[in-house]
Structure formats: C-alpha cells, structure tokens
Amino acid sequence: MACSQFEYVKQYETDDRLLPGCWIVLRLDGKGFTKFCELHCFEKPNDVRALCLMDASAQAVMREFQDIRLAFGESDEYSFVFPRECQLYGRRCSKLVSLVASCFTASYVRLWPQHLPDKPLAATPLFDARAVLYPSDRTLRDYLSWRQADTHINNLYNTCFWALVKSGKTNTEAHAQLQGTLADYKNELLFSQFGLNYNALPERFRKGSVVIRQRVKHVKQTADGRSKEKERLEPCVLHCDIIRDHFWQQHAELLA
Amino acid sequence: MACSQFEYVKQYETDDRLLPGCWIVLRLDGKGFTKFCELHCFEKPNDVRALCLMDASAQAVMREFQDIRLAFGESDEYSFVFPRECQLYGRRCSKLVSLVASCFTASYVRLWPQHLPDKPLAATPLFDARAVLYPSDRTLRDYLSWRQADTHINNLYNTCFWALVKSGKTNTEAHAQLQGTLADYKNELLFSQFGLNYNALPERFRKGSVVIRQRVKHVKQTADGRSKEKERLEPCVLHCDIIRDHFWQQHAELLA
Amino acid sequence: MACSQFEYVKQYETDDRLLPGCWIVLRLDGKGFTKFCELHCFEKPNDVRALCLMDASAQAVMREFQDIRLAFGESDEYSFVFPRECQLYGRRCSKLVSLVASCFTASYVRLWPQHLPDKPLAATPLFDARAVLYPSDRTLRDYLSWRQADTHINNLYNTCFWALVKSGKTNTEAHAQLQGTLADYKNELLFSQFGLNYNALPERFRKGSVVIRQRVKHVKQTADGRSKEKERLEPCVLHCDIIRDHFWQQHAELLA
Amino acid sequence: MACSQFEYVKQYETDDRLLPGCWIVLRLDGKGFTKFCELHCFEKPNDVRALCLMDASAQAVMREFQDIRLAFGESDEYSFVFPRECQLYGRRCSKLVSLVASCFTASYVRLWPQHLPDKPLAATPLFDARAVLYPSDRTLRDYLSWRQADTHINNLYNTCFWALVKSGKTNTEAHAQLQGTLADYKNELLFSQFGLNYNALPERFRKGSVVIRQRVKHVKQTADGRSKEKERLEPCVLHCDIIRDHFWQQHAELLA
C-alpha cells in the first residue's frame, strides 16, 4: 500500500526528551502584548482584570496537567514548574511546550468573557513557550527569585512611568526622567510627587502571582440528597514573597 | 540590585535553532480528540462543520505567519510547511512550535461559534505540535504524500466502520470484520452492502485539505468613496491530490 | 574576496553546549577490542600490562585536562568526570568528546612501547566517547556504582569462563555452563574446581581503577643546586570500592 | 543483583543522531598547534613533511571508515565528508566525532616516525572534531569552497609574513606591514621584493589536499605463487581546485 512507501519520512523526527532528574520550567510569554493591551485599553500600569485572567488561565493549565508543582506569573508571562521525576509525554520537549501553550491560550480565550465581560476579544492572543532545565533546587529557586525580582523592578518603573504620563509628561519625557535612577529615587518620587506609598500598593502588582495546590473545602451532594463537606486539592493564587526562605519552609512539599 | 544576583539562571536556556536550509514542517495534533468528538457529538465518520473549523483555524495561522508556504490537514491534525530559508524567530524550535500551537488553538476556540453555533464549547481543545526537518524537496513531498495516503487509509476504514455500526453491528464486531482487509474489500463492502461508491464521497473526506495562498479579488473603498476591485493573496482551502506531480507542476512556486 | 561568499556555511554549525550545573561524565570505550586483544595476544581473563596501559592513558588525559575531577576504568573503557561548574570549551559537547578521545588514544599509542615493549602495536586502537549529564551527586555516584558493579559481574564471569576454557572446555561449553548462574555458583565453581578464592584475586581485576588527584612528594633541584622536597597533585590510580560511602567520606573534596 | 539497582542511570544518555538525508562533514582541528609546530621546529610557512603526515593520517581514516566520500585538508585541519544516506553508528554524533578524532590522532602518532624520522614526537598531538550537516549539494560544495578559499588566503598571508620575518623584520613589523592589504599587494610584494611567483609555489600549499578514492593497480600473489595485477580503490591525495565545476564534473560520483 502507498503508505509504506512514504512512511520512511517518520525517521526525520528527532528525539527531544529533556534530561531526567532536572526541574523543568516552562515559561510562557505573550507575543506582541504591548499592542494587544492598547487594542483592549488595558489599564496602566496594571489592569487587575487582565491579571486575574492570566491567573485563571494558569489555574486551568494546572488542572489539566496534574504534574505541575507550582506556577509563577507576572504581567503577560507565566512559568510552570514540573518536578524532577516528571514522566509526562516521556519529557518530550515539543509535546510539553506546545501543549502548555495550547492549553493556556485556549483558556485565556475561553475565560476572557468572564473576566472582561464589557470588552469583546478583538485579536488572537498568542503565547510562546520555552522549556528550561534546572538541575538543583538552588537553581530552581534562583530562577523563581529572578522572575519575582523582575516583577518588582518592572512594576516600580511602570508605576512611576504612568504616574508621570498621567500627570502630563510625554512618554519620552517620563522615560528620560527615570532612566538610570535607583529604586530609592523612584520610591521617593512616588511618595513626594504623587502621594503614593509604593509598599502599600497591592501585593499582586508588586510580587506577582504564585499558584500552588492547596486543600480547599467544597460541598458535595451525597446519594441520599444531603450535602457533605469534603476537601480537595485546588490550584490557589497567592501574592507573596518567594525569594526568602519562609515561603519554602511553609511549603516544604514543593521541593520534596 | 537583587536581579543581577539571580540572572545567571538565564544561562540554562539552550539554543534550539533548527538547521538552516531545510524545510520545516510543524505538525499539530489534537490531544484526546476521540473524547472531545464524543463530548460534542461530532458526526461520524466525518463532521463537515468540525473539519471546516480546522481549516479555518489553519487559515488563521497562515494569516498570522506569512512565512508558511502551505498546509495540509486531515481529521484533528494539521501540518504547516515553512520554507528552507525561513528566518522567523531565528528558526528557534520552541518559539515556532509553541506559537503555532497557541495560534491554532486560540483560533479554534474563537471561530467555534461561527462553525458550530448550536453547540457550546464544552471542553478546552488542546493541540500538541512538533517540528520536523526535511532536507530535500523529495523528502518534503514524501512527507505530504504520507499524510495524504494516511487520510485515504483512515477515511476508507472509518467509512466502513461507521456504516457497519450504523447498520447495527457493535464497535467490536465492526472492527473484527475489517481487521486485515484490503482496500478492494472495503470498497466492495461499501458498494454492495451500503450502496456507497467510495470515490463519489466528498474530496474533503478522501483527500484532506490543502491550504495555499492564492490571488483573491476583493472590493476596496477608495478615498473618494468609490469602490475598486483589487487582488490580494489569501490562504485558500483545496481538496485535491498532492501525491502526484500534477499539483506541484501547477503550483511550481511552492517548492521554488 | 571569494571567502565571504562561502562563509555563510558557518551558520550550519549548531550549538551543542551541555546544560550547566550538571556533572559531565565522558565515557570512552574501545572499538572492536575483542579482535584487538586477540591480535596482540592479551592474557585472559585480564592482561595486567594492558590494564596498566589503560590507566596510564587515563592519567595522561587527567594531566592534560585539569578540570577532570576523577576517572574510573575497567577493561577497555574509561569514564572521566568533569565538575558541575566546568566551563572548559564552553561545555561544548563535540569539543570535549573529541578531545578526550583524541588525547586518550594518542597516549595509548605513545605509551604502548613502555607497557608492552615486547609486542609491536599491530593495529590502530580506536576509542569512541560519549557525554552523559548527571544533575545530582546521587545520580553521579550511582553512575560510578553502575560501572563498578559491572566490573565485578564481568570479571567474575570472565574468570570462570577462562578457567573452564583453560581446563579443556570449548568456548561454547563454557558459556553454556555459566549461562543464567548466580554469583554464588560462580564463586563456588572457582573454589571447588579450580582452587581459586575469587576475593583473593587482585583488586585491580575485581574493582577496576579509580584515578584521583593526590599530593605526591617529588624532589626538585633548587637554583643553587641543592635538592628540595616538594609536593604536587598527581593523578593516582587506586583499586578500591567506590559504591559504599566510605570512599566518598575519605575524599569529600570530590563531590564538593 | 546490585547492577540493576544502578542501571537506571543509562536513561540519562541522550539520543544525538544526526538528521537523515544531509551530508555530514566532520572537521578536525589541531589543538594548540602553533606551540606544537614550534616545539618540533616545523618549517615555515609550510612544512612539507608535516603536511604529508596529515594527509597520510587522513588516508588512514578513510581506510578505516569506508563510508567517507572525500576529505579536504589544509594546515592542521581536515574535513571528512560522509554521504547523505550514511547509516554508520546510526548517525550518532558523538560516536562519529570521537571515533574519527581517535583514528586520526592514533594514525598521526603511529605514522610520525615514517614522516619525521629525525624528530622524536615530543608532545601529544590533539585534534578536536565537530559534525556539521549540509542539506544540499550546493551547501556542501560551498563548505568545501570555503575551506579551500581559506587555504589560499592563509597561505598567501603566511608566505608573505615568513618572507618578511626571514628578511629581518620582527613578527610585529611583518604583521603590521600586511594588515589590511589585498591579495594583489601581497603577490606584488613576494615578486618584487623576494623574487617569488606565488602561483609557482607547490599546489599543495596553495590548494590544500583533496583525498578521494581512486582505482589503483597493485600486484597480488596468487595461490600458485604467480603474481597478478589487480585493481582496488585507494584513498589518493590530490592538490587541485575544488571551487570550480571542473573537479565535480570529472568526479560526478562524489555527489551522486
């Protein structure tokens, strides 16, 4: 049959299994989100509803892929952590990268109307994904610290930038005023000029979102019609520091 | 600043650029679509509306990624062909694989209501993707022939299978009757027992979908309010043989 | 100039850097050594002089590549362990694999006359090499345990096999008698039939060779002609257990 | 048995098979040969005997690996071309890279006394190797043209450089005089100042070495003691242009 004559082309598929014994981080990143945000008039510097939609999409991904240990998100990016011993799809990189991107994007589109009911989705949101391996707990924690430190740096900058722009500066002027300045200067600027205490801003903006599975009580109907309280693990969104040890001591199971 | 202390983790990202000078085929495949089809009561053996939704999603992908030369789809899978000289995202595998999966899935969800207006989307559709390199025109054509031969084999089998099931057989009985039989037997079965001439079935079912860019006339409003006919390239869906030379002679630009 | 016109072909070279933060094991293996051993009439089951030549070649490799932390050898294979933080040649796999294979082979040929002065080298010895990454100390130690356990298994078998052959059995008979037998049977066979206490055989045969750097005293001539005793690190060959903890406790710097 | 407990570490070995259907070029390069040449007082700019030793080593590699289609060498580097359909060691990159490096180096050491009988080998020569894939005949030819153009450029420069140095300039002065100059200037310099017609220099220096298999007559003793002339394929060294079409037309079988 004709098929066998062509089937040799399967040999051109290469093996892209990720090294065993390493943490797998899958990081998703919005493609062209500056334009996407403008098109949908997202609030600046942070649109709470859009951030909640990101978090909800991440939760959907974690419900679909039970292997995921935790996730961290900020702005238009999200990182998912698969454990060292994960065998999902034989650790094939393309499978993991494409399925997580597919699931996140599909959830983002499906959940949009719940989070932004007054704004019709006007363009296709796209997310790229990459897999990065971390051989030790230390390097994994440093990766997550890197993302959370980045959240802080970007948010402090953006808070200043948009405060200046809303006060009448042009984008170029605002950028010029902030370029090369340190955190202290920016904190002081917000406080003295705009009466803003940066540390009083919502933790969601300053620390990003951590998603871990936690026991959640829910009410279940029993066969005889009575309702019964049960517990199950649900991906829950926290906004807390993950750079210091405290979080990891409280959730020792994450690195176990 | 804290950031630089953690930034070393970026070194763990690996370079996954695909070999230059080769055709890149990105194949998407529905995850768990047997269940997804049942959940949405897709018609058997082929649901025209669901196939059109696949085609429309592929067209959306081709509008987003202008580099794509052609695409071929059947059932719940689609292959996209990027040219040898493609430099999109520096040919980074994860970028291409994740973005095409993201775009296809998002389009599938967004376009669903247009194609299946009476059926609410009841689950998140997921597509995985992989990249395969073909160094020569011959191997690329053999890849596409492999997929179209597969379309034919699967469709002939499925057409028989569902005819038997609709006539009262169980799934097990239908499967047992067909196992190991040749194409001639199946054609004869369809004709003698169900009055079906297999070759008269829609080409969409028998040959799958080929998407290529073709000049399409469209009417454009000019500045002074008059309408003017113009041409532009649009991804168009064909259902034709791509195994024989004829198609490639007619569309010599595809392999140029 | 003509050169630039062709220089684009450099783009086809791919990046093969090994993941940072992992132990790198480079394992060399003799190609076609069964034939090579016969050609040079190596003693069976173990040729001490040939094993010493392997060890000396490994020491030469360790002198050339100061990054190597330790090495383990048995029969016609040798494993070299590069530390997690190694940056030699940017951790490029092909560089490491080819240079270690090149250095080992060159040393084997150069040192041959010293170790086997009565036998001219009659064929080109070839060694292949591969790189394997181990993310944790545990997996690295298990790798080395695997090789040493393999040494034991092979040596016990070969000792029995050649005792039987030397006692008059054919190769086929000897093989048949041993097939599927356990260690106890083989130990008993050696003792009762050949008066051999397996555990009294040289450790070199039973445990293979471990090469680590140790402080070695050497005498150096000073400028004024006197000789002075100094210390330097030299790769030294040991034949000891590396499966149990004791070795690693004694040489805690190896995994540090 | 202990072995199985550790055998899981084999899973950490990754699949590094090279894409089918592409030409494989294995390029070897001497490590630290500037120093190696000085140590052995190689003649400058070209040491014929050392170049012949390189060629003889390449011929030994081609005798060992019958798959190799052709080779090109210059200075301390050599490229070996394996055909598109090559299945040697399942096209595993590390196997090919290490074995060719091993074979070349071993041959270089073994053949040294024949080519440089008056100079004892005073250091271990090392060669690294890398594999590069070329998907088309055009890119393969351009690769080889790149190397031959490089031979010419380097040789012209080196010929001038050493002529200047031998005439009394320091290395720095010679380098300064040549920096940024074109080929015409260098040709003129050689002719007017040193009476050297560059194009009359040996082709070996100007074009490097091409090794291809050619029918060679040899005399064989028959069973009854008579001698009989036979033909066999032997790797032969040529010094000719491989940039223009002529060579490839004469040896059409090389790209077939």
Side-chain angles (χ1 to χ4, degrees), chain A residues 69-246:
Chain A
R69 200 62 78 78
L70 83 157
F72 176 76
E74 57 149 331
S75 180
D76 63 344
E77 76 165 55
Y78 240 101
S79 299
F80 297 92
V81 179
F82 291 79
R84 292 170 178 278
E85 67 278 8
C86 174
Q87 285 303 328
L88 191 63
Y89 297 107
R91 299 174 77 88
R92 275 179 290 163
C93 181
S94 294
K95 278 272 184 190
L96 295 174
V97 153
S98 58
L99 282 171
V100 170
S102 178
C103 186
F104 191 92
T105 315
S107 303
Y108 193 92
V109 175
R110 288 190 78 197
L111 297 170
W112 175 281
Q114 289 174 34
H115 288 83
L116 297 134
D118 52 322
K119 295 189 188 184
L121 183 60
T124 304
L126 296 184
F127 294 89
D128 71 45
R130 80 193 66 199
V132 193
L133 295 177
Y134 290 105
S136 65
D137 296 352
R138 184 72 263 156
T139 46
L140 174 68
R141 275 194 56 186
D142 285 350
Y143 171 81
L144 293 164
S145 296
W146 176 49
R147 298 324 302 144
Q148 191 167 59
D150 189 70
T151 308
H152 166 65
I153 293 166
N154 289 340
N155 189 57
L156 180 54
Y157 180 91
N158 290 336
T159 306
C160 293
F161 180 85
W162 290 103
L164 289 169
V165 168
K166 285 173 187 176
S167 77
K169 304 250 177 182
T170 65
N171 283 13
T172 313
E173 287 166 351
H175 179 67
Q177 181 170 346
L178 294 171
Q179 199 167 19
T181 64
L182 300 178
D184 279 355
Y185 171 86
K186 297 198 192 76
N187 277 311
E188 182 57 25
L189 172 77
L190 288 176
F191 190 69
S192 61
Q193 199 169 335
F194 301 104
L196 258 176
N197 178 358
Y198 180 76
N199 290 318
L201 291 180
E203 292 217 296
R204 180 190 288 277
F205 301 164
R206 291 183 294 118
K207 304 219 181 293
S209 298
V210 186
V211 193
I212 58 175
R213 300 186 197 278
Q214 294 194 307
R215 302 217 156 273
V216 169
K217 288 204 175 82
H218 70 116
V219 175
K220 209 181 162 180
Q221 297 298 115
T222 58
D224 58 0
R226 285 180 302 168
S227 58
K228 200 177 150 188
E229 198 170 67
K230 295 201 77 174
E231 277 195 344
R232 70 171 165 221
L233 283 172
E234 274 291 323
C236 299
V237 182
L238 312 176
H239 311 290
C240 61
D241 177 272
I242 57 171
I243 297 180
R244 280 181 286 247
D245 291 336
H246 183 256

Side-chain angles (χ1 to χ4, degrees), chain B residues 136-156:
Chain B
S136 65
D137 297 351
R138 184 72 263 157
T139 47
L140 174 68
R141 275 194 55 186
D142 285 351
Y143 171 81
L144 293 164
S145 296
W146 176 49
R147 299 324 301 144
Q148 190 166 62
D150 189 71
T151 308
H152 167 65
I153 293 166
N154 289 339
N155 188 57
L156 179 55

